[in-house]
Amino acid sequence: MFKKILIANRGEIALRIMRACRELGVQSVAIHSTADTSSQHVKYADESVCVGRTSSAESYLRVPNIIAAAEITGADAIHPGYGFLAENPEFAEICAENGFTWIGPPAEVIRQMGDKATARTMAVAAEVPVVPGTGLVASVEDAVKAAAEFGYPVIIKATAGGGGKGMRVAWDEDELMKNYVAARTEAGASFGNDAVYIEKYLVNPRHVEVQLLGDGSGNVLYFGERDCSIQRRHQKLIEEAPSPAVDADLRRRMGEAAVRLAKRVGYTSAGTVEFLLDEDGSFYFMEMNTRIQVEHPVTEMVTGYDLMKWMIRVAAGEDFTFTQDDVVVRGHAIECRINAENPERDFMPCPGRVFYYHAPGGPGIRVDTHVYSDYMVPPHYDSLLAKIIAYGEDREEAVARMRRALTECVFEGLPTSTPFHLEVLENPVFLAGKATTRFLDEELPQLQEGLRVRAKSEEG
Ligand code: MV4
């Protein structure tokens, strides 16, 4: 096992990694910006190094400073968490070149999966189902020809994209010709790479993703799925495990498909294969995320495995002490992401001081947060305040516990997404387990009306 790990991140995920380190008897090193001097991850760590000024570009993304911090503290490994440098293959290589173990998948796999057209090709090679589509298309004529083959609507995707950027839907040939140019222009401006490919557009799918973990001996295990259909502008708001739309047979088929892809590319560490699950029960490869994800706790709750500790153990060369048959999904877990934002004002981020924080608790509740009373939420980073995770024997109990936890929770001084979550937890479509990726667009008027009523009754 490692002696000391540098955590190249901040916020709740830095704390989560440090908690795993402490349980493993590993020393932790925090890095921080000048805006995060009094952050929890700095206090919790055994050592800390300031790596730069407030902006991410000058601190959490400043590779030479992070490597220097690892050198002066004598760390033997680097954990990137999610976001920042987690899916930067050059950073993974630079860590290794400087003698630090990268706690993540091989750099070459990060690179391959970061290119969405390549990832799609790898999925085909691994016999993982993909939506009818193309490789990179060289011209608008090729795009029109391909679309005529598999039929409208189609979606144009930037190969350098992911998370929705450089994506355009086209319902007919005219729209395709227009949006093809728009997608390429946006992709070129956003990523410095304007290459695009085309897929048949699934109109009303669910987002279902499979959690994987690979050790250094070629073993790859799946830990069931998460349903992340409730998103707004490609930001996930609520995640749950298991998916209400997945039964044991589908779980096994999706899990085995995800493992085939992972084995094909030589995957190690924690990773996630995202699928679109169609209304008829067919599933299709969407993307592979080569990192530990925000929503990993729901999987930890329903499987009982500490994914973060296993991610560290396999990076240190340990193999699994259990098999696929040992991984059983039991009960139900839901996560609500609490952001410092105003759902009544188009989810506008609202950084500022949390004058008073009170954590929910009791049976089945887990809170992953870096917030404390009098904490100043800096405006420079993402607005995630806390993840509340509720576990229950079944979905109904998980929902009831989540409602209770959300009403116990206090973040004084800031608007948060808490009331919005309470609205979703009363929505009939959500309660029926029928939410698809269109849920938020379709239900937003009712949810916002509910929010206004809620705000009024709090005034009165
Ligand atoms: C799709 C799709 C429908 N059909 N691909 C969204 C981000 C990127 N990961 C790919 N995305 C989609 N790809 C085909 N062929 C619909 C989406 C999509 C989506 C997917 C998951 C969750 C929310 C979404 C919201 C809009 C579009």
Side-chain angles (χ1 to χ4, degrees):
M1 183 42 67
F2 305 117
K3 286 199 171 60
K4 196 184 277 190
I5 296 174
L6 179 138
I7 294 95
N9 215 301
R10 65 179 301 282
E12 67 84 21
I13 196 63
L15 265 181
R16 171 71 190 92
I17 299 163
M18 288 172 197
R19 285 177 164 143
C21 288
R22 190 143 305 165
E23 289 180 26
L24 291 167
V26 177
Q27 298 279 108
S28 57
V29 179
I31 61 162
H32 66 92
S33 68
T34 52
D36 276 339
T37 310
S38 45
S39 284
Q40 271 239 62
H41 79 281
V42 175
K43 297 180 218 236
Y44 195 98
D46 296 296
E47 293 168 73
S48 64
V49 181
C50 182
V51 291
R53 286 153 47 113
T54 56
S55 75
S56 297
E58 293 174 290
S59 52
Y60 299 104
L61 295 172
R62 206 33 93 82
V63 172
N65 298 14
I66 298 167
I67 297 295
E71 275 169 1
I72 60 170
T73 55
D76 32 35
I78 296 180
H79 198 308
Y82 56 69
F84 295 122
L85 296 166
E87 288 171 281
N88 182 318
E90 286 78 36
F91 182 57
E93 280 164 352
I94 289 166
C95 289
E97 282 161 13
N98 285 275
F100 305 110
T101 302
W102 168 252
I103 304 179
E108 198 44 43
V109 179
I110 301 176
R111 191 171 282 121
Q112 278 181 343
M113 293 299 141
D115 185 272
K116 306 305 168 191
T118 303
R120 195 185 134 91
T121 305
M122 300 304 292
V124 172
E127 296 181 62
V128 173
V130 297
V131 185
T134 67
L136 297 182
V137 288
S139 66
V140 71
E141 289 79 22
D142 287 0
V144 167
K145 209 188 286 172
E149 265 170 48
F150 46 74
Y152 290 90
V154 299
I155 182 166
I156 311 154
K157 294 184 175 182
T159 193
K165 259 236 165 113
M167 239 175 54
R168 289 285 192 289
V169 176
W171 288 83
D172 56 38
E173 193 173 309
D174 271 3
E175 215 177 4
L176 176 57
M177 294 199 287
K178 210 173 63 210
N179 286 351
Y180 174 83
V181 177
R184 282 197 84 137
T185 306
E186 185 178 316
S190 306
F191 313 116
N193 175 358
D194 71 353
V196 298
Y197 62 103
I198 293 178
E199 283 181 350
K200 176 141 188 88
Y201 179 64
L202 304 185
V203 176
N204 196 19
R206 286 172 177 261
H207 173 129
V208 177
E209 56 183 35
V210 173
Q211 176 68 55
L212 296 178
L213 198 55
D215 69 16
S217 299
N219 306 300
V220 182
L221 303 178
Y222 63 90
F223 292 73
E225 79 288 352
R226 296 181 287 261
D227 196 312
C228 310
S229 297
I230 302 191
Q231 309 192 3
R232 174 160 167 88
R233 301 205 185 121
H234 306 290
Q235 275 290 108
K236 293 167 186 163
L237 298 175
I238 299 181
E239 305 97 343
E240 60 182 300
S243 167
V246 174
D247 62 14
D249 176 65
L250 182 55
R251 176 166 308 118
R252 184 183 48 75
R253 288 186 290 120
M254 292 180 84
E256 288 175 358
V259 166
R260 277 202 302 281
L261 173 59
K263 286 191 170 167
R264 173 111 202 160
V265 299
Y267 203 88
T268 61
S269 189
T272 298
V273 178
E274 297 182 344
F275 292 103
L276 294 167
L277 178 61
D278 211 352
E279 284 151 303
D280 68 359
S282 317
F283 64 90
Y284 305 96
F285 173 79
M286 184 161 54
E287 293 181 12
M288 181 164 193
N289 300 323
T290 56
R291 61 172 188 275
I292 189 82
Q293 286 185 271
V294 176
E295 59 271 27
H296 77 274
V298 291
T299 302
E300 295 189 322
M301 302 287 266
V302 296
T303 63
Y305 286 96
D306 187 320
L307 295 171
M308 193 64 83
K309 278 200 294 203
W310 276 109
M311 184 181 183
I312 294 169
R313 288 192 189 110
V314 296
E318 293 180 28
D319 288 346
F320 297 129
T321 54
F322 56 94
T323 69
Q324 186 64 61
D325 287 341
D326 296 316
V327 183
V328 179
V329 174
R330 180 167 184 273
H332 203 98
I334 302 177
E335 173 178 280
C336 288
R337 298 191 190 188
I338 311 297
N339 288 293
E341 65 186 19
N342 193 339
E344 285 183 276
R345 296 233 195 308
D346 201 28
F347 297 85
M348 188 176 58
C350 297
R353 192 171 297 277
V354 179
F355 292 109
Y356 177 72
Y357 166 62
H358 177 78
I365 298 301
R366 164 175 170 179
V367 184
D368 281 19
T369 184
H370 57 296
V371 170
Y372 53 89
S373 289
D374 227 29
Y375 172 65
M376 185 72 196
V377 180
H380 317 283
Y381 319 107
D382 85 17
S383 64
L384 183 69
L385 291 176
K387 306 186 302 204
I388 300 180
I389 305 103
Y391 176 84
E393 287 170 27
D394 53 28
R395 191 169 189 263
E396 288 62 42
E397 188 176 50
V399 168
R401 283 179 168 165
M402 180 63 84
R403 283 206 191 110
R404 171 180 66 74
L406 288 169
T407 54
E408 288 175 10
C409 195
V410 179
F411 292 93
E412 218 174 87
L414 299 167
T416 73
S417 39
T418 306
F420 174 82
H421 286 301
L422 285 166
E423 282 302 317
V424 175
L425 293 175
E426 288 183 5
N427 178 282
V429 178
F430 172 79
L431 291 176
K434 300 266 184 244
T436 68
T437 53
R438 288 212 315 233
F439 173 81
L440 226 63
D441 287 330
E442 282 173 357
E443 300 295 321
L444 203 57
Q446 292 92 298
L447 295 168
Q448 289 189 317
E449 177 54 26
L451 279 179
R452 281 191 290 272
V453 172
R454 205 173 277 278
K456 269 230 173 72
S457 80
E458 267 161 37
E459 273 170 35

